[in-house]
Amino acid sequence: MINDPAQPAILTGMVLNGAHGIYDVHTDDGILRCTLRGKLKKAFAQAKSSKSIPAKGRSTPPRMIGSTAQRAEKIEKRDSSENPLPTRLSVGDYVKIRRLDDATGLIEEILPRQSELSRQDAGSNARKVIKQTLLANLDQVVMVFATAQPDPHFGLLDRYLAICESAQLSTLICINKADLPHDERVEDEAAIYSNIGYRIIWTSTQLNQGIDELRESLKNHTTLFTGPSGVGKSSLVNAIEPGMAIQTGLVSDSTGKGRHTTRGSQLYPLSGGGWLADSAGIRALAAWDIAPEELAACFVEFRPHLGKCFYSDCAHLDEEGCAIIKAVDEQLIDPRRHRSYVRIYEGEER
Ligand SMILES: Nc1nc2c(ncn2[C@@H]2O[C@H](COP(=O)(O)OP(=O)(O)OP(=O)(O)O)[C@@H](O)[C@H]2O)c(=O)[nH]1
Ligand SMILES: [Mg+2]
Ligand SMILES: [Zn+2]
């Protein structure tokens, strides 16, 4: 099929999954299994893996509707100085590929990344923590927790939320396994988040509860499902779009090698419009893109009190005349949320 005039040799596509240098790329003409062109491989090898793109200064992630080619065109028209080129390929990246035959292609170029969500990955060298992008070009994150098994870890949720606020991604909290008997404190803790404006969807894949509502909220978005291991992310994906995993054909990652590849995420097209990515359970999300002085604004309920502290450079930890601490004392800000803020500020893991 090479040089068939009916099929353009260069196509635009979006990376659905990848491992060991092999990527499944969605194009408007179907999915092609692709490898990276030598020149790109070299460029990636030379680029510093630790180099991160600051979330601040980026434009708000666009909600890109239309065919894959139309969305890629929109990205190409944007000012690329705003969103630098990625230094490695991730799931969700838009690429230009040369079609080799009906089923395969060569990735020639990567388009600037509009947004991303990353996690910390200790990799093989435990001393060097590297950043691993879970999904590129997303505009929404669903944070999945379970009512029980495993018990929800709200400190981790606070960290997730801060990162998403910093990256200007819209966020939704999903509390799954609503069918399981659980501590009533889970409802109380969840109320803290709905009170400050986050939407919470209670789901059960066992009882088919909340699935329609969740599916509706994904329409025309590029969404990442993230959260701890075992909370039911994959089960939710299957409930939302039954049989999807079978349709797309995962690149196997059985050897667990290949740090330059995108492990752990898989992007699926939604029949109602939009894209959904499932990711492997995560323990830590990278918060290093957030400058300390920007962290407070990533706690949405702190915002009305910012700029009112006695010291203009107040870090809101325990300073005299701090408006945030005053708001905590007046029960306008939940003390547990403030403790999470302090922990993240001080760089603690959780
Ligand atoms: N009771 C109950 N169990 C559920 C529900 N959803 C999922 N499970 C179970 O929870 C376990 C973990 O589900 P997964 O979907 O594999 O969880 P995951 O979040 O994808 O986990 P990782 O891939 O490790 O990150 C499985 O045994 C599911 O059957 C639910 O709504 N209720
Ligand atoms: Mg899973
Ligand atoms: Zn303060």
Side-chain angles (χ1 to χ4, degrees):
M1 274 276 191
I2 301 167
N3 296 332
D4 181 345
Q7 286 180 338
I10 299 283
L11 297 168
T12 43
M14 183 170 60
V15 178
L16 297 180
N17 60 53
H20 319 307
I22 300 166
Y23 302 88
D24 283 338
V25 179
H26 178 275
T27 75
D28 294 331
D29 292 339
I31 295 170
L32 297 181
R33 187 148 286 192
C34 298
T35 50
L36 282 178
R37 197 180 147 184
K39 211 171 104 183
L40 266 182
K41 256 191 241 170
K42 226 179 185 172
F44 282 175
Q46 283 165 354
K48 273 201 185 117
S49 61
S50 58
K51 195 179 150 209
S52 67
I53 306 162
K56 213 188 164 203
R58 282 172 177 246
S59 49
T60 309
R63 210 172 140 178
M64 289 187 291
I65 305 168
S67 72
T68 299
Q70 283 167 338
R71 294 192 309 274
E73 201 183 326
K74 265 192 217 171
I75 289 179
E76 278 196 281
K77 279 188 187 148
R78 289 184 147 223
D79 180 4
S80 63
S81 63
E82 222 172 58
N83 298 299
L85 286 168
T87 52
R88 59 171 71 186
L89 194 58
S90 294
V91 170
D93 271 323
Y94 285 88
V95 291
K96 286 199 170 184
I97 50 182
R98 182 174 296 279
R99 183 194 269 278
L100 297 175
D101 58 34
D102 274 355
T104 64
L106 196 60
I107 299 172
E108 299 247 338
E109 192 186 331
I110 304 178
L111 300 185
R113 204 174 275 171
Q114 309 299 298
S115 64
E116 64 182 1
L117 197 72
S118 309
R119 71 167 180 181
Q120 294 172 2
D121 187 354
S124 53
N125 180 352
R127 277 173 305 167
K128 190 178 167 229
V129 176
I130 61 158
K131 181 168 134 169
Q132 187 202 11
T133 300
L134 291 168
L135 182 63
N137 298 317
L138 73 167
D139 70 299
Q140 181 171 258
V141 177
V142 174
M143 287 166 232
V144 187
F145 284 83
T147 59
Q149 298 176 28
D151 286 339
H153 185 331
F154 288 100
L156 192 62
L157 175 59
D158 291 333
R159 179 175 281 264
Y160 284 13
L161 289 174
I163 292 163
C164 292
E165 291 297 337
S166 165
Q168 295 178 290
L169 300 170
S170 65
T171 50
L172 220 153
I173 299 165
C174 171
I175 305 183
N176 190 38
K177 307 198 188 186
D179 56 287
L180 289 182
H182 59 269
D183 198 317
E184 60 191 37
R185 272 181 304 185
V186 174
E187 266 84 4
D188 298 341
E189 293 269 9
I192 296 174
Y193 298 91
S194 41
N195 286 341
I196 58 176
Y198 288 107
R199 182 163 164 218
I200 301 183
I201 302 181
W202 296 80
T203 57
S204 166
T205 60
Q206 301 277 309
L207 305 176
N208 200 31
Q209 180 193 327
I211 304 298
D212 288 344
E213 191 187 348
L214 188 56
R215 187 187 295 114
E216 193 55 36
S217 70
L218 305 179
K219 227 173 171 175
N220 294 329
H221 285 284
T222 303
T223 307
L224 176 73
F225 272 26
T226 187
S229 186
V231 294
K233 297 179 295 296
S234 301
S235 309
L236 285 165
V237 170
N238 284 326
I240 286 162
E241 198 77 38
M244 198 156 53
I246 301 151
Q247 280 173 23
T248 39
L250 266 161
V251 172
S252 127
D253 192 13
S254 54
T255 66
K257 283 188 202 150
R259 278 214 282 128
H260 294 283
T261 63
T262 50
R263 285 174 301 163
S265 298
Q266 162 79 25
L267 199 52
Y268 304 95
L270 292 166
S271 50
W275 296 85
L276 172 58
D278 185 16
S279 63
I282 51 162
R283 266 164 290 147
L285 269 183
W288 60 63
D289 279 348
I290 312 177
E293 64 275 16
E294 285 163 20
L295 182 63
C298 296
F299 281 69
V300 289
E301 74 277 40
F302 290 15
R303 289 176 188 165
H305 309 284
L306 292 175
K308 295 178 183 167
C309 302
F310 181 77
Y311 298 107
S312 61
D313 62 348
C314 184
H316 326 299
L317 302 174
D318 56 5
E319 293 88 338
E320 200 70 33
C322 173
I324 299 293
I325 291 167
K326 183 166 167 264
V328 173
D329 291 341
E330 289 171 356
Q331 295 173 7
L332 297 169
I333 290 175
D334 189 84
R336 206 191 45 68
R337 286 272 294 167
H338 182 251
R339 278 199 298 277
S340 285
Y341 165 81
V342 173
R343 260 186 229 128
I344 300 170
Y345 189 94
E346 292 181 339
E348 285 171 38
E349 254 292 287
R350 282 180 186 189

